[in-house]
Short mmCIF file of all heavy atoms in Angstrom, two decimals:
data_model
loop_
_atom_site.label_atom_id
_atom_site.label_comp_id
_atom_site.label_asym_id
_atom_site.label_seq_id
_atom_site.Cartn_x
_atom_site.Cartn_y
_atom_site.Cartn_z
N LYS A 163 -5.83 -9.41 -6.60
CA LYS A 163 -4.88 -8.95 -7.62
C LYS A 163 -4.62 -7.52 -7.19
O LYS A 163 -5.31 -6.59 -7.61
CB LYS A 163 -5.54 -9.03 -8.99
CG LYS A 163 -4.60 -8.99 -10.13
CD LYS A 163 -5.38 -9.13 -11.42
CE LYS A 163 -4.61 -9.96 -12.40
NZ LYS A 163 -5.32 -10.05 -13.67
N GLY A 164 -3.72 -7.32 -6.27
CA GLY A 164 -3.58 -6.08 -5.54
C GLY A 164 -2.97 -4.92 -6.28
O GLY A 164 -2.52 -5.03 -7.42
N GLN A 165 -2.97 -3.83 -5.57
CA GLN A 165 -2.36 -2.59 -6.02
C GLN A 165 -1.33 -2.19 -4.97
O GLN A 165 -1.41 -2.60 -3.82
CB GLN A 165 -3.42 -1.51 -6.16
CG GLN A 165 -4.50 -1.86 -7.13
CD GLN A 165 -5.57 -0.78 -7.21
OE1 GLN A 165 -5.65 0.11 -6.38
NE2 GLN A 165 -6.39 -0.87 -8.23
N TYR A 166 -0.40 -1.38 -5.37
CA TYR A 166 0.67 -0.95 -4.47
C TYR A 166 0.34 0.45 -3.96
O TYR A 166 0.19 1.37 -4.75
CB TYR A 166 2.01 -0.98 -5.18
CG TYR A 166 2.30 -2.36 -5.70
CD1 TYR A 166 1.91 -2.73 -6.98
CD2 TYR A 166 2.88 -3.31 -4.88
CE1 TYR A 166 2.12 -4.01 -7.44
CE2 TYR A 166 3.10 -4.59 -5.33
CZ TYR A 166 2.71 -4.95 -6.61
OH TYR A 166 2.91 -6.22 -7.05
N ALA A 167 0.22 0.58 -2.66
CA ALA A 167 -0.11 1.88 -2.06
C ALA A 167 1.10 2.38 -1.27
O ALA A 167 1.71 1.64 -0.51
CB ALA A 167 -1.30 1.73 -1.12
N HIS A 168 1.41 3.63 -1.48
CA HIS A 168 2.48 4.27 -0.71
C HIS A 168 1.94 4.65 0.66
O HIS A 168 0.86 5.22 0.77
CB HIS A 168 2.96 5.54 -1.42
CG HIS A 168 3.75 5.27 -2.63
ND1 HIS A 168 3.16 5.03 -3.86
CD2 HIS A 168 5.08 5.20 -2.83
CE1 HIS A 168 4.11 4.81 -4.75
NE2 HIS A 168 5.28 4.92 -4.16
N ILE A 169 2.69 4.35 1.69
CA ILE A 169 2.32 4.79 3.03
C ILE A 169 2.54 6.30 3.10
O ILE A 169 1.63 7.05 3.41
CB ILE A 169 3.15 4.04 4.10
CG1 ILE A 169 2.82 2.54 4.04
CG2 ILE A 169 2.87 4.62 5.49
CD1 ILE A 169 3.74 1.67 4.85
N VAL A 170 3.75 6.73 2.82
CA VAL A 170 4.03 8.17 2.68
C VAL A 170 4.08 8.43 1.19
O VAL A 170 4.93 7.88 0.48
CB VAL A 170 5.37 8.55 3.35
CG1 VAL A 170 5.67 10.03 3.13
CG2 VAL A 170 5.35 8.22 4.84
N PRO A 171 3.15 9.23 0.66
CA PRO A 171 3.08 9.47 -0.78
C PRO A 171 4.40 10.02 -1.34
O PRO A 171 5.12 10.76 -0.66
CB PRO A 171 1.96 10.51 -0.92
CG PRO A 171 1.13 10.33 0.31
CD PRO A 171 2.09 9.95 1.39
N GLU A 172 4.67 9.67 -2.58
CA GLU A 172 5.88 10.18 -3.24
C GLU A 172 5.88 11.70 -3.27
O GLU A 172 6.94 12.32 -3.12
CB GLU A 172 5.98 9.63 -4.66
CG GLU A 172 6.32 8.16 -4.71
CD GLU A 172 6.40 7.62 -6.12
OE1 GLU A 172 5.36 7.61 -6.81
OE2 GLU A 172 7.51 7.22 -6.53
N ALA A 173 4.72 12.30 -3.41
CA ALA A 173 4.63 13.77 -3.43
C ALA A 173 5.06 14.39 -2.10
O ALA A 173 5.42 15.56 -2.05
CB ALA A 173 3.19 14.20 -3.74
N ASP A 174 5.02 13.60 -1.04
CA ASP A 174 5.44 14.07 0.29
C ASP A 174 6.82 13.54 0.66
O ASP A 174 7.20 13.55 1.82
CB ASP A 174 4.43 13.64 1.34
CG ASP A 174 3.08 14.32 1.17
OD1 ASP A 174 3.05 15.45 0.62
OD2 ASP A 174 2.06 13.74 1.56
N GLY A 175 7.55 13.03 -0.33
CA GLY A 175 8.91 12.56 -0.08
C GLY A 175 9.04 11.08 0.20
O GLY A 175 10.12 10.60 0.52
N GLY A 176 7.95 10.34 0.08
CA GLY A 176 8.00 8.90 0.30
C GLY A 176 8.72 8.19 -0.83
O GLY A 176 8.57 8.56 -1.99
N ASP A 177 9.49 7.21 -0.48
CA ASP A 177 10.25 6.46 -1.48
C ASP A 177 9.45 5.29 -2.02
O ASP A 177 8.51 4.81 -1.38
CB ASP A 177 11.54 5.91 -0.87
CG ASP A 177 12.53 7.00 -0.53
OD1 ASP A 177 12.58 8.01 -1.26
OD2 ASP A 177 13.25 6.84 0.48
N TYR A 178 9.83 4.82 -3.19
CA TYR A 178 9.25 3.61 -3.77
C TYR A 178 10.11 2.46 -3.30
O TYR A 178 10.99 1.97 -4.01
CB TYR A 178 9.23 3.71 -5.29
CG TYR A 178 8.27 2.73 -5.91
CD1 TYR A 178 6.97 3.12 -6.22
CD2 TYR A 178 8.63 1.41 -6.15
CE1 TYR A 178 6.07 2.22 -6.78
CE2 TYR A 178 7.75 0.51 -6.70
CZ TYR A 178 6.46 0.91 -7.00
OH TYR A 178 5.57 0.03 -7.54
N ASP A 179 9.90 2.05 -2.03
CA ASP A 179 10.67 0.94 -1.50
C ASP A 179 9.80 0.05 -0.62
O ASP A 179 8.67 0.39 -0.27
CB ASP A 179 11.93 1.41 -0.78
CG ASP A 179 11.67 2.22 0.47
OD1 ASP A 179 10.60 2.08 1.09
OD2 ASP A 179 12.55 2.99 0.85
N TYR A 180 10.34 -1.09 -0.29
CA TYR A 180 9.65 -2.15 0.45
C TYR A 180 8.97 -1.63 1.71
O TYR A 180 7.82 -1.98 1.99
CB TYR A 180 10.68 -3.24 0.79
CG TYR A 180 10.15 -4.42 1.52
CD1 TYR A 180 9.55 -5.47 0.83
CD2 TYR A 180 10.27 -4.51 2.90
CE1 TYR A 180 9.07 -6.58 1.50
CE2 TYR A 180 9.79 -5.62 3.58
CZ TYR A 180 9.20 -6.66 2.87
OH TYR A 180 8.73 -7.75 3.54
N SER A 181 9.64 -0.80 2.47
CA SER A 181 9.10 -0.34 3.75
C SER A 181 8.05 0.75 3.60
O SER A 181 7.39 1.10 4.58
CB SER A 181 10.23 0.16 4.65
OG SER A 181 10.85 1.28 4.07
N ASN A 182 7.87 1.28 2.40
CA ASN A 182 6.89 2.34 2.19
C ASN A 182 5.73 1.92 1.29
O ASN A 182 4.92 2.74 0.90
CB ASN A 182 7.57 3.58 1.59
CG ASN A 182 6.68 4.80 1.63
OD1 ASN A 182 6.03 5.09 2.64
ND2 ASN A 182 6.60 5.52 0.53
N LEU A 183 5.64 0.63 0.99
CA LEU A 183 4.57 0.14 0.13
C LEU A 183 3.74 -0.91 0.84
O LEU A 183 4.25 -1.70 1.62
CB LEU A 183 5.14 -0.48 -1.15
CG LEU A 183 5.79 0.47 -2.14
CD1 LEU A 183 6.45 -0.33 -3.25
CD2 LEU A 183 4.79 1.44 -2.71
N LEU A 184 2.45 -0.90 0.54
CA LEU A 184 1.54 -1.94 0.99
C LEU A 184 0.87 -2.54 -0.23
O LEU A 184 0.66 -1.86 -1.24
CB LEU A 184 0.46 -1.37 1.92
CG LEU A 184 0.92 -0.88 3.27
CD1 LEU A 184 -0.26 -0.24 4.01
CD2 LEU A 184 1.49 -2.02 4.09
N TYR A 185 0.51 -3.79 -0.13
CA TYR A 185 -0.22 -4.49 -1.18
C TYR A 185 -1.67 -4.51 -0.74
O TYR A 185 -2.02 -5.12 0.28
CB TYR A 185 0.33 -5.91 -1.31
CG TYR A 185 -0.13 -6.68 -2.51
CD1 TYR A 185 0.26 -6.30 -3.78
CD2 TYR A 185 -0.91 -7.81 -2.37
CE1 TYR A 185 -0.13 -7.03 -4.90
CE2 TYR A 185 -1.30 -8.55 -3.48
CZ TYR A 185 -0.92 -8.15 -4.73
OH TYR A 185 -1.30 -8.86 -5.83
N LEU A 186 -2.52 -3.77 -1.44
CA LEU A 186 -3.92 -3.61 -1.04
C LEU A 186 -4.87 -3.97 -2.16
O LEU A 186 -4.55 -3.79 -3.34
CB LEU A 186 -4.19 -2.14 -0.64
CG LEU A 186 -3.40 -1.57 0.52
CD1 LEU A 186 -3.74 -0.09 0.69
CD2 LEU A 186 -3.62 -2.34 1.80
N CYS A 187 -6.06 -4.44 -1.79
CA CYS A 187 -7.11 -4.62 -2.78
C CYS A 187 -7.61 -3.22 -3.17
O CYS A 187 -7.34 -2.23 -2.49
CB CYS A 187 -8.26 -5.46 -2.22
SG CYS A 187 -9.17 -4.71 -0.85
N TRP A 188 -8.33 -3.16 -4.28
CA TRP A 188 -8.79 -1.87 -4.77
C TRP A 188 -9.65 -1.11 -3.75
O TRP A 188 -9.39 0.07 -3.50
CB TRP A 188 -9.54 -2.06 -6.10
CG TRP A 188 -9.97 -0.77 -6.70
CD1 TRP A 188 -9.19 0.09 -7.44
CD2 TRP A 188 -11.24 -0.15 -6.60
NE1 TRP A 188 -9.92 1.19 -7.81
CE2 TRP A 188 -11.19 1.07 -7.30
CE3 TRP A 188 -12.43 -0.50 -5.98
CZ2 TRP A 188 -12.27 1.92 -7.40
CZ3 TRP A 188 -13.52 0.35 -6.08
CH2 TRP A 188 -13.43 1.54 -6.78
N PRO A 189 -10.66 -1.73 -3.09
CA PRO A 189 -11.46 -0.96 -2.13
C PRO A 189 -10.62 -0.41 -0.97
O PRO A 189 -10.82 0.74 -0.55
CB PRO A 189 -12.49 -1.97 -1.63
CG PRO A 189 -12.61 -2.97 -2.72
CD PRO A 189 -11.23 -3.08 -3.31
N CYS A 190 -9.69 -1.21 -0.44
CA CYS A 190 -8.85 -0.71 0.65
C CYS A 190 -7.91 0.39 0.17
O CYS A 190 -7.67 1.36 0.88
CB CYS A 190 -8.07 -1.86 1.29
SG CYS A 190 -9.11 -2.96 2.28
#
Side-chain angles (χ1 to χ4, degrees):
K163 197 178 217 183
Q165 301 178 346
Y166 302 91
H168 288 84
I169 297 169
V170 177
E172 288 179 295
D174 294 332
D177 291 327
Y178 198 94
D179 65 25
Y180 181 84
S181 64
N182 193 45
L183 291 173
L184 292 175
Y185 191 67
L186 300 176
C187 65
W188 183 81
C190 288

